[in-house]
Amino acid sequence: MLWGALGAAGMVLVALAVLVACPAAPGPGTGLASVTQVAAARDHTCARLEGGRLKCWGDNAFGQLGQGHTRTLGDSTTDGVATIPAIDLGTGRSATQIVANGGLFTISGVNTEVGHSCALLDNGRVKCWGNNAFGQLGQGDTNTRGDGPNEMGNALSAIDLGSDRTATQLALGSAHSCALLDNGRVKCWGNNAFGQLGQGDTNTRGDGPNEMGNALPAIDLGTSRTATQIALGSFHSCALLDNRSVKCWGHNFFGQLGQGHTRTLGDSTTDGVATIPAIDLGSSRTATQIAIGEFHACALLDNGRVKCWGYNAFGQLGLVATDDRGDEANEMGNALPAIDLGTSRTATQIALGSFHSCALLDNGGVKCWGGNASGQLGQGDTNTRGDGPNELGDRLPAINLGSGRTATQLALGSAHSCALLDNRRVKCWGGNSLGQLGLDATGDRGDMPNEMGDNLPFVDL
């Protein structure tokens, strides 16, 4: 496990995970459960199955698997993923998106783990379960849900997003949550230590009564601006705006807001989100997707290239160096190189973990770089890549996903990676201490030779 530490207000975050949601995968069925989306959190993983059913496996310390208990699933043959019941979302309800996240805080010297999951339902409503220490479940309290019987299904209330408002996309940070609403506005709730909720203060929201619904203001993204995608990191948030520009706010110690400084933004009225300049992505360049890791961020550009900024100790920015970018002047825009993905290769999706990054290429291949202590880069070793010369581009092999297999969507956890393949099945590799790879066993995969390709089993759903 790779550890990142952050101290502020008596709080340290360690090893956050990130997720990305993408469209349903094409390809033939297999006679087994077809997967339409995969999501990865710090130490748990979720899949949306055909028909909108959800299954999650791995760490379950706070009921983030939505099964009414706290027993880890997917780490043994007796708790096999195939036998996990679909999550009860309520009578007649199905999901159109699943998101998951988690982290480890040290508050006043005491380690406190967090992990939660949320579903966007077929009626545009949102339900969340798992840890709720900061109100990240949006229920107006701090009670954990999903860890005991009779807490899911109809007993779990949908989050109040405001009068007649529904959601079109969700994103989770370590202990905060955001929804992109049907009107293009964004609302966030939960932990707000660094202004990541975008309200111009550091007040936690969603942990007490009368803080959600119409009482929770939408974030002011700027005059006439709306969002088309949201992405969250440990203590920061980003939005892809309707003009294809990108704004980020919250914690900024490593330059992850892409502003050429390390000042926190969004935590005061003088640094409101509306006044934050759009990130300079280069001359005439716009973004088509954003992704966030623990303390770094990447944008998929309109030309299919990828640029990343923020924390870079493990080469996760893909710049064949380890110095942070975006924390000083003159490091963004044309001065920030695009990542070398190989001759004539472009990206169609990006996904970020705590300290590693992956790109889904235009030919369906997958390349990953950054930290690799658990084999999350899928190269059969634990060598970090992207932190030195001659490690990227044509010198970085695409991950072996199996004979004839390509990928249609990626999702990264803290130290594991998953791909939804063209046959609508899922493979995961990297850290597996809690069964998050869905192999009904523990033990990392992808960190030694002959563990990838046809030797890496599909998750049996």
Side-chain angles (χ1 to χ4, degrees), residues 185-238:
R185 308 295 298 276
V186 176
K187 287 189 175 186
C188 301
W189 56 94
N191 181 34
N192 194 33
F194 297 93
Q196 59 265 45
L197 303 188
Q199 295 296 335
D201 58 40
T202 56
N203 301 327
T204 298
R205 288 175 170 82
D207 61 335
N210 305 316
E211 294 183 340
M212 298 295 296
N214 293 334
L216 178 64
I219 296 170
D220 183 356
L221 297 170
T223 304
S224 300
R225 291 276 69 88
T226 57
T228 60
Q229 189 216 334
I230 48 177
L232 307 188
S234 56
F235 292 124
H236 72 298
S237 309
C238 294

Side-chain angles (χ1 to χ4, degrees), residues 42-348:
R42 177 176 179 252
D43 290 318
H44 74 287
T45 308
C46 299
R48 178 166 58 94
L49 307 181
E50 201 167 37
R53 295 179 298 122
L54 302 179
K55 279 192 177 187
C56 298
W57 58 92
D59 184 26
N60 194 31
F62 297 97
Q64 57 263 50
L65 304 188
Q67 294 297 328
H69 60 69
T70 57
R71 190 173 71 252
T72 299
L73 301 177
D75 60 338
S76 70
T77 54
T78 56
D79 282 322
V81 175
T83 65
I84 298 172
I87 295 171
D88 185 358
L89 298 173
T91 304
R93 294 276 66 90
S94 60
T96 60
Q97 186 196 7
I98 176 67
V99 289
N101 219 325
L104 182 65
F105 290 82
T106 300
I107 304 174
S108 301
V110 178
N111 285 338
T112 301
E113 184 183 359
V114 291
H116 69 300
S117 309
C118 297
L120 176 59
L121 303 182
D122 58 304
N123 61 357
R125 306 296 298 275
V126 176
K127 287 189 174 185
C128 299
W129 57 92
N131 184 272
N132 195 32
F134 299 93
Q136 58 264 46
L137 303 188
Q139 296 292 336
D141 56 42
T142 56
N143 301 328
T144 298
R145 289 173 171 82
D147 61 335
N150 305 316
E151 294 183 341
M152 299 294 296
N154 294 333
L156 179 62
S157 301
I159 294 172
D160 184 357
L161 298 173
S163 301
D164 299 321
R165 291 276 68 89
T166 58
T168 61
Q169 188 230 326
L170 307 176
L172 304 187
S174 61
H176 72 296
S177 310
C178 294
L180 175 60
L181 304 181
D182 58 304
N183 61 357
R185 308 295 298 276
V186 176
K187 287 189 175 186
C188 301
W189 56 94
N191 181 34
N192 194 33
F194 297 93
Q196 59 265 45
L197 303 188
Q199 295 296 335
D201 58 40
T202 56
N203 301 327
T204 298
R205 288 175 170 82
D207 61 335
N210 305 316
E211 294 183 340
M212 298 295 296
N214 293 334
L216 178 64
I219 296 170
D220 183 356
L221 297 170
T223 304
S224 300
R225 291 276 69 88
T226 57
T228 60
Q229 189 216 334
I230 48 177
L232 307 188
S234 56
F235 292 124
H236 72 298
S237 309
C238 294
L240 176 60
L241 304 182
D242 57 305
N243 62 356
R244 292 194 167 189
S245 66
V246 177
K247 279 190 177 187
C248 299
W249 57 94
H251 182 261
N252 193 32
F253 186 80
F254 303 100
Q256 60 263 46
L257 303 189
Q259 294 296 330
H261 59 68
T262 57
R263 190 173 73 251
T264 297
L265 300 176
D267 61 336
S268 69
T269 54
T270 56
D271 282 323
V273 174
T275 64
I276 297 173
I279 294 173
D280 185 356
L281 299 172
S283 300
S284 302
R285 292 275 67 90
T286 59
T288 61
Q289 187 220 332
I290 50 175
I292 306 185
E294 187 166 350
F295 301 120
H296 72 298
C298 297
L300 175 59
L301 304 181
D302 59 303
N303 60 357
R305 307 296 299 276
V306 177
K307 288 189 174 185
C308 301
W309 58 93
Y311 187 55
N312 194 34
F314 301 94
Q316 59 263 49
L317 303 188
L319 299 176
V320 296
T322 56
D323 53 315
D324 299 342
R325 295 294 178 94
D327 60 334
E328 295 181 355
N330 304 316
E331 291 187 338
M332 298 295 294
N334 293 334
L336 180 65
I339 295 170
D340 183 358
L341 298 173
T343 304
S344 301
R345 291 277 68 87
T346 57
T348 60

Side-chain angles (χ1 to χ4, degrees), residues 403-437:
S403 301
R405 295 276 67 91
T406 57
T408 61
Q409 187 232 322
L410 305 177
L412 273 57
S414 178
H416 74 291
S417 309
C418 296
L420 176 59
L421 303 183
D422 60 306
N423 61 356
R424 296 198 182 204
R425 301 196 67 184
V426 173
K427 286 190 174 186
C428 298
W429 58 93
N432 193 35
S433 59
L434 292 165
Q436 58 264 48
L437 301 188

